[in-house]
Amino acid sequence: MLMKYQLIVIGSGPGGYVAAIRASQLGLKTAVVERAELGGICLNWGCIPTKALLRSADVYHHMVHASDFGISVKGEIKPDFSAMVKRSREVAGNMSKGIQFLFKKNGIGVIEGTARVLPGKKIEVTGSGSKTAIYEADHIIIATGARSRELPGLKQDGRKIIGYREAMTLDKQPASMLVVGSGAIGSEFAWFYQTIGTQVTLVEFLPAIVPLEDEEVSKQLERSFKKMGMKIMTGSSVESADTSGKKIKVSVKTPKGKETLETDIVLSAVGITPNLEGIGLEETGIQSDNGKVKVDSFYRTQVEGYYAIGDIVSGPALAHVASAEGICCVEKIAGLDPEPLDYGNVPACTYTHPEVASVGMTEKQARDAGYEIRVGKFPFTASGKANAAGARDGFVKVIFDAKYGEWLGAHFIGENVTEMIAEAVAARKLETTGHEIIKSVHPHPTMSEAVMEAAAAAYGEVIHI
């Protein structure tokens, strides 16, 4: 006898578990298949534990610079790398238990094992001891996420050449590290290790670090990284790595020619690969394109009853995107009338120091799209709160359409800006204009005042610069 559900979700990451909870709220009998820890990579090996590590490094940084704030600290201040890792794993573990609680609260079944989709709205789950079971559902959402991508000539061995997962659980802190890739993952780990005393070299193939960000933001973050002693190599690519000796010899192609670097650890952070192997797409008739599952605006595949969300479909590979996709998908399944996700209004955050947060078009993208624009910029050097907090690095930059006042883009770099970007997201969603931002009273003194001041700068009304 087949076990039957109205909805089965394959994967319990931020797309899968959110989809399952929303489905349960809407009255669907729901189960989730998970082969590892509840919460997926994001909660267990990504977003959450990395932020715990970054917080530890941030506390250490403030203690080292305590005298800047009129505080005298006696004795040597040293990072305890093992304790940082231990705390990070405890945070992840507690969050995973939280997902367990939410599933129980919402009556969601948990099926342990590895799933493969079958024709006829069925899945096969292989559990411990290779035991298999067949389940049937009216609707099946595939939310299997992704893993670290490997570069040719840079095969990860888990010891000397590692991915983000191993970077969170090293036995000891390396004296030196070469990080390949300067997106959010690469930049965050580079900042973490450099802050606690590892000498980091950051290698980026494109001309600027955090290459998807506005050009001015990229330049500011590079200056901040260099100021802390990090070596930055842009327009460069790793061609090979020799791990036969005590040190790894890395051959890097740079704009000036080839260079050989020696390092203790190489961290490959060059993107992700969707987890689609063995999932059964071909047997079921589900189509893919360039390694991603093809779906419509409500995440329906070409085969009725099968859906896909998160890192395995086109769109930004971000936890909050997967969650939003999951909610949209199940609301459509449940007969509601959800609005398709606006991928042009999705925020991106990088939790370095200073932090980076953005939404919408960069200045270059707006100009290339043919807009006549107004650009406003407010530096944190002119912010009372930033000066009081000792967080003068960075700025807020806003871009408006000169004709109608539409808020085209927002680009923040500075202390705590990942908490500030939601104002721009909400305002853009509500079609707020530049003048409406200027006339919205912001509290003083706050970092968020910089948003109002930047908008005012775009219209020649700025007060404090």
Side-chain angles (χ1 to χ4, degrees), residues 30-108:
T30 303
V32 173
V33 183
E34 177 54 64
R35 65 185 180 185
E37 307 97 336
L38 290 180
I41 291 297
C42 173
L43 194 150
N44 292 282
W45 298 101
C47 317
I48 305 304
T50 54
K51 302 312 164 285
L53 290 174
L54 293 171
R55 179 57 176 163
S56 292
D58 192 42
V59 171
Y60 171 68
H61 171 81
H62 280 298
M63 291 182 70
V64 169
H65 294 276
S67 61
D68 296 345
F69 299 88
I71 300 169
S72 177
V73 178
K74 302 292 184 181
E76 185 181 6
I77 302 168
K78 295 191 300 183
D80 186 335
F81 182 71
S82 295
M84 289 181 177
V85 170
K86 182 174 181 289
R87 177 181 179 271
S88 168
R89 300 314 311 149
E90 288 172 350
V91 169
N94 288 335
M95 294 300 294
S96 185
K97 290 175 184 175
I99 303 301
Q100 272 184 316
F101 167 78
L102 290 173
F103 278 6
K104 187 175 181 180
K105 173 186 173 184
N106 287 279
I108 297 166

Side-chain angles (χ1 to χ4, degrees), residues 154 160-163 177-180 238 241 248 250 263-268:
L154 201 62
K160 291 186 175 181
I161 301 177
I162 63 174
M177 174 180 283
L178 187 144
V179 179
V180 187
V238 172
I248 307 168
V250 184
T263 187
D264 292 316
I265 292 285
V266 175
L267 168 57
S268 180

Side-chain angles (χ1 to χ4, degrees), residues 50-51 54 164 179 181-192 202 204 209-213 221 225 267 269-271 317-318 348-352 356:
T50 54
K51 302 312 164 285
L54 293 171
Y164 60 80
V179 179
S182 71
I185 294 173
S187 291
E188 286 174 10
F189 276 117
W191 180 82
F192 168 73
L202 183 58
E204 171 56 54
I209 64 171
V210 286
L212 298 182
E213 299 295 341
L221 188 63
F225 277 2
L267 168 57
V270 289
L318 299 168
C349 297
T350 303
Y351 299 84
T352 48
V356 174

Side-chain angles (χ1 to χ4, degrees), residues 5-327:
Y5 291 89
Q6 289 175 286
L7 173 67
I8 293 178
V9 182
I10 303 173
S12 71
Y17 86 74
V18 168
I21 292 172
R22 183 65 182 129
S24 180
Q25 290 174 344
L26 293 170
L28 299 177
K29 182 184 178 184
T30 303
V32 173
V33 183
E34 177 54 64
R35 65 185 180 185
E37 307 97 336
L38 290 180
I41 291 297
C42 173
L43 194 150
N44 292 282
W45 298 101
C47 317
I48 305 304
T50 54
K51 302 312 164 285
L53 290 174
L54 293 171
R55 179 57 176 163
S56 292
D58 192 42
V59 171
Y60 171 68
H61 171 81
H62 280 298
M63 291 182 70
V64 169
H65 294 276
S67 61
D68 296 345
F69 299 88
I71 300 169
S72 177
V73 178
K74 302 292 184 181
E76 185 181 6
I77 302 168
K78 295 191 300 183
D80 186 335
F81 182 71
S82 295
M84 289 181 177
V85 170
K86 182 174 181 289
R87 177 181 179 271
S88 168
R89 300 314 311 149
E90 288 172 350
V91 169
N94 288 335
M95 294 300 294
S96 185
K97 290 175 184 175
I99 303 301
Q100 272 184 316
F101 167 78
L102 290 173
F103 278 6
K104 187 175 181 180
K105 173 186 173 184
N106 287 279
I108 297 166
V110 177
I111 305 168
E112 295 181 0
T114 301
R116 183 168 67 93
V117 292
L118 303 174
K121 300 181 184 178
K122 297 181 180 69
I123 67 167
E124 178 186 74
V125 178
T126 303
S128 59
S130 298
K131 292 182 179 179
T132 62
I134 305 295
Y135 298 84
E136 186 176 359
D138 298 324
H139 308 277
I140 297 168
I141 298 177
I142 306 170
T144 48
R147 64 188 182 278
S148 181
R149 183 166 71 91
E150 292 193 10
L151 283 175
L154 201 62
K155 185 172 177 59
Q156 296 175 25
D157 60 14
R159 297 180 299 106
K160 291 186 175 181
I161 301 177
I162 63 174
Y164 60 80
R165 187 163 178 151
E166 293 85 6
M168 282 182 270
T169 55
L170 289 174
D171 293 334
K172 62 178 181 178
Q173 180 184 343
S176 58
M177 174 180 283
L178 187 144
V179 179
V180 187
S182 71
I185 294 173
S187 291
E188 286 174 10
F189 276 117
W191 180 82
F192 168 73
Y193 277 102
Q194 183 72 37
T195 298
I196 64 173
T198 297
Q199 180 55 56
V200 173
T201 300
L202 183 58
V203 179
E204 171 56 54
F205 176 74
L206 293 172
I209 64 171
V210 286
L212 298 182
E213 299 295 341
D214 187 88
E215 183 179 347
E216 289 188 272
V217 169
S218 297
K219 288 179 179 178
Q220 173 65 58
L221 188 63
E222 182 170 336
R223 284 194 296 270
S224 296
F225 277 2
K226 286 181 174 178
K227 189 164 65 174
M228 66 189 297
M230 193 185 301
K231 183 177 181 181
I232 307 289
M233 302 176 72
T234 52
S236 303
S237 59
V238 172
E239 296 197 320
S240 63
D242 180 0
T243 60
S244 60
K246 187 174 180 181
K247 292 272 190 179
I248 307 168
K249 293 184 178 180
V250 184
S251 175
V252 181
K253 183 180 179 181
T254 77
K256 297 180 180 179
K258 287 191 178 180
E259 187 173 339
T260 299
L261 305 175
E262 289 192 346
T263 187
D264 292 316
I265 292 285
V266 175
L267 168 57
S268 180
V270 289
I272 57 174
T273 299
N275 292 323
L276 291 176
E277 296 83 0
I279 196 67
L281 299 186
E282 298 81 7
E283 300 95 310
T284 316
I286 297 171
Q287 297 178 18
S288 61
D289 183 33
N290 291 323
K292 298 288 185 85
V293 180
K294 292 177 68 174
V295 293
D296 67 9
S297 55
F298 296 106
Y299 312 101
R300 296 173 291 206
T301 70
Q302 298 74 22
V303 181
E304 184 185 354
Y306 296 83
Y307 312 77
I309 61 171
D311 295 353
I312 61 171
V313 301
S314 295
L318 299 168
H320 45 282
V321 170
S323 296
E325 290 173 345
I327 290 171

